[in-house]
Amino acid sequence: MKKLLQVMKFGGTSVGDAECIARVARIVADAAVRHSVVVVVSAMSGVTNRLIQAAVRCETGDQSESQTLAEQLRAQHESALRALISNEVKRAALAQTLEQVIAETARLCHGTALLRELTPRTLDAISSAGERLSAPLVAGALVELGLRSEAMNATELIVTDNHHGDAEPLMGPTRDRAEARLRPLLTDGMVPVVTGYIGATREGVLTTLGRGGSDYSATLLGAALGADETIIWTDVDGVMTADPRLVPETRTLPEISYHEAAELAYFGAKVLHPKTLRPVTQAGGTVWIRNSFAPEKSGTKIAPQSRPAPGGVKALTAIRDVTLITVGGPGIVGALDILARTFSTTARARANVLLISQSSSQNDICFVVPSSEAERAIAALRKTFAQELAHQQVEHINVDANVAIVAAVGEKMKGTPGIAGRTFSALGRENINVIAIAQGSSEYNISFVVEAGAMKRAVLVLHKEFGLDRRTPMEENGLAEAAGVEPWPK
Ligand code: ADP
Ligand code: ASP
Ligand code: MG
């Protein structure tokens, strides 16, 4: 009988130290008894941040941080290695693999400091070191449990364009590579451990998929191989009704739909990289979010459809580091091409527009982009509209970085009247000023802009307003089991 294929991704905290990696290995070994398994791993927690910081410091000519980092990486990974691998010969071979990655990273940092130049390509090579260190460790831990396993660099599997730092995968070639490289290993009963976050151009130059991109790596490989399930193992019980760091009474959702999960990810729910659901929306397959520290819990099932929340709103999300840009002035009235030129400019500048709102008199177009992309978007807009600004057809391009987006998400919001009314009345009662509003025609979400300082209050008020702190009757009756969650071996 054909075995079920599972892609399992483990995040940074889940592989944070030897004890965590040993727990991960047990989860994989349990699954591998019945299923074919591909493992995708992140860097050990904190490593990617430290690599990026050191690289940025090197650009100023200061190598001190990169030197300490090399020592820290060696100490951290070798200590895990000692705890995980009992066989001395295997340990020495693995130590050599790790040392190669650390030495190469140190050389790249040195080159950066000498040239005082950090290209996006070099930053990718440096920031990807964490995954190239963690994958061999996890594969080693699996071998220790008697599995046949091998670490694999995703540069051999995920083919991308050359937008370093935020590369777009090319699905056709990725599928071909996954079939050619992974399928034979799976057929042979092996468990490949693939580096998350990383890809390569057709020419083989290493790229990265953006911060938090290992989730995306997992669903990409899941879609490429036609996996039955992709399980994203993290440090919380699943997708919650709101960011648990903002709302103490948050609840784990037993199930959500692809659309709902995609909206939450897009609007900043850190538990999923914004593009995670893209590959599965086309390819199908179930995605699970589960807690690697509590594998007995069923987690959240993400499927094409899910039961709606009684009040329409299923979850809330918020994004802080965003910037509101307003292109406007009375001169815009009737100038039909301004809208088209505004957004073709932001697209060319590769600024990700998260929300758009336009006043009906067409005096103002306002939209929100991540703050890290705002500077290049504004520079590009000022260039595009140089003439109009000079002749005051466009009177201003204003910028406000002190804002946040809050979004309410739920499949059943479509066709449930009064949700927008309840949302804005509740905010009004709390004196929270709403700066801009957007609701897509899909009506899976209502998103709005508030001052950054009011973001947390807005999320708390709406969490209560829509009763998200209360369990639904279906959950009371054990919906998780009804949803077909396999009990996890303890
Ligand atoms: P990993 O390292 O496993 O990829 P992340 O830190 O990227 O984990 O994502 C998990 C974190 O996302 C959680 O610890 C939690 O603080 C945060 N988070 C934000 N919003 C949500 C949400 N709606 N549901 C669950 N977790 C969320
Ligand atoms: N290690 C990468 C990061 O920290 C990718 C990931 O963890 O998903 O962004
Ligand atoms: Mg993550």
Side-chain angles (χ1 to χ4, degrees), residues 9 11-12 42 211-215 232 234 270-273:
K9 176 257 168 176
S42 292
R211 294 305 308 274
S214 301
D215 301 330
I232 295 179
T234 183
K270 189 180 175 232
V271 66
L272 288 170
H273 180 273

Side-chain angles (χ1 to χ4, degrees), residues 101-268:
V101 177
I102 294 171
E104 184 210 290
T105 308
R107 278 199 301 277
L108 286 168
C109 285
H110 182 63
T112 303
L114 284 180
L115 292 169
R116 297 196 180 209
E117 186 190 23
L118 180 61
T119 63
R121 177 173 169 165
T122 306
L123 182 59
D124 272 354
I126 295 173
S127 75
S128 64
E131 275 72 9
R132 291 183 285 125
L133 290 168
S134 61
L137 271 181
V138 173
L142 291 176
V143 172
E144 195 72 13
L145 289 188
L147 274 77
R148 290 195 305 127
S149 177
E150 153 179 323
M152 192 179 278
N153 200 331
T155 47
E156 296 178 43
L157 299 169
I158 295 180
V159 185
T160 72
D161 66 12
N162 62 0
H163 278 108
H164 287 281
D166 182 27
E168 278 299 331
L170 308 171
M171 210 51 214
T174 300
R175 203 175 291 119
D176 295 344
R177 295 265 183 104
E179 274 304 326
R181 297 294 324 267
L182 289 176
R183 187 75 68 192
L185 298 181
L186 294 171
T187 311
D188 200 27
M190 296 269 292
V191 179
V193 179
V194 182
T195 54
Y197 180 53
I198 302 176
T201 62
R202 284 181 201 269
E203 295 73 36
V205 179
L206 186 147
T207 54
T208 61
L209 305 176
R211 294 305 308 274
S214 301
D215 301 330
Y216 193 24
S217 309
T219 49
L220 278 167
L221 291 177
L225 291 165
D228 301 281
E229 295 186 332
T230 301
I231 309 179
I232 295 179
W233 292 93
T234 183
D235 57 1
V236 284
D237 289 349
V239 178
M240 299 184 164
T241 48
D243 187 335
R245 294 164 299 181
L246 286 180
V247 183
E249 305 82 29
T250 185
R251 263 179 334 103
T252 305
L253 294 162
E255 55 168 42
I256 56 172
S257 69
Y258 286 173
H259 276 305
E260 289 168 334
E263 294 282 346
L264 286 173
Y266 184 75
F267 285 108

Side-chain angles (χ1 to χ4, degrees), residues 176-428:
D176 295 344
R177 295 265 183 104
E179 274 304 326
R181 297 294 324 267
L182 289 176
R183 187 75 68 192
L185 298 181
L186 294 171
T187 311
D188 200 27
M190 296 269 292
V191 179
V193 179
V194 182
T195 54
Y197 180 53
I198 302 176
T201 62
R202 284 181 201 269
E203 295 73 36
V205 179
L206 186 147
T207 54
T208 61
L209 305 176
R211 294 305 308 274
S214 301
D215 301 330
Y216 193 24
S217 309
T219 49
L220 278 167
L221 291 177
L225 291 165
D228 301 281
E229 295 186 332
T230 301
I231 309 179
I232 295 179
W233 292 93
T234 183
D235 57 1
V236 284
D237 289 349
V239 178
M240 299 184 164
T241 48
D243 187 335
R245 294 164 299 181
L246 286 180
V247 183
E249 305 82 29
T250 185
R251 263 179 334 103
T252 305
L253 294 162
E255 55 168 42
I256 56 172
S257 69
Y258 286 173
H259 276 305
E260 289 168 334
E263 294 282 346
L264 286 173
Y266 184 75
F267 285 108
K270 189 180 175 232
V271 66
L272 288 170
H273 180 273
K275 296 179 189 163
T276 310
L277 271 303
R278 278 193 199 173
V280 277
T281 308
Q282 284 154 20
T286 306
V287 179
W288 293 91
I289 312 295
R290 302 185 66 159
N291 191 344
S292 72
F293 297 87
E296 71 286 355
K297 293 193 176 157
S298 40
T300 301
K301 179 182 186 176
I302 310 179
Q305 263 96 39
S306 91
R307 271 160 273 217
V313 175
K314 200 172 250 185
L316 301 166
T317 181
I319 326 183
R320 223 184 297 257
D321 299 311
V322 291
T323 295
L324 179 76
I325 301 176
T326 312
V327 177
I332 285 192
V333 177
L336 291 176
D337 67 329
I338 299 271
L339 204 63
R341 286 167 63 205
T342 299
F343 294 113
S344 58
T345 303
T346 53
R348 269 198 312 279
R350 285 182 73 84
N352 184 19
V353 177
L354 297 162
L355 174 151
I356 304 172
S357 172
Q358 186 188 10
S359 66
S360 57
S361 64
Q362 296 181 15
N363 278 356
D364 266 339
I365 306 160
C366 72
F367 57 93
V368 179
V369 297
S371 292
S372 57
E373 297 166 11
E375 206 176 308
R376 62 173 191 258
I378 295 154
L381 285 166
R382 292 206 201 283
K383 206 161 159 196
T384 298
F385 293 119
Q387 285 231 322
E388 285 81 356
L389 284 163
H391 297 112
Q392 289 173 352
Q393 282 162 306
V394 170
E395 287 193 351
H396 61 255
I397 298 180
N398 287 344
V399 179
D400 185 352
N402 186 31
V403 295
I405 298 180
V406 176
V409 171
E411 224 32 271
K412 205 188 153 200
M413 288 168 64
K414 190 173 175 161
T416 306
I419 291 185
R422 272 178 78 184
T423 302
F424 297 113
S425 306
L427 295 171

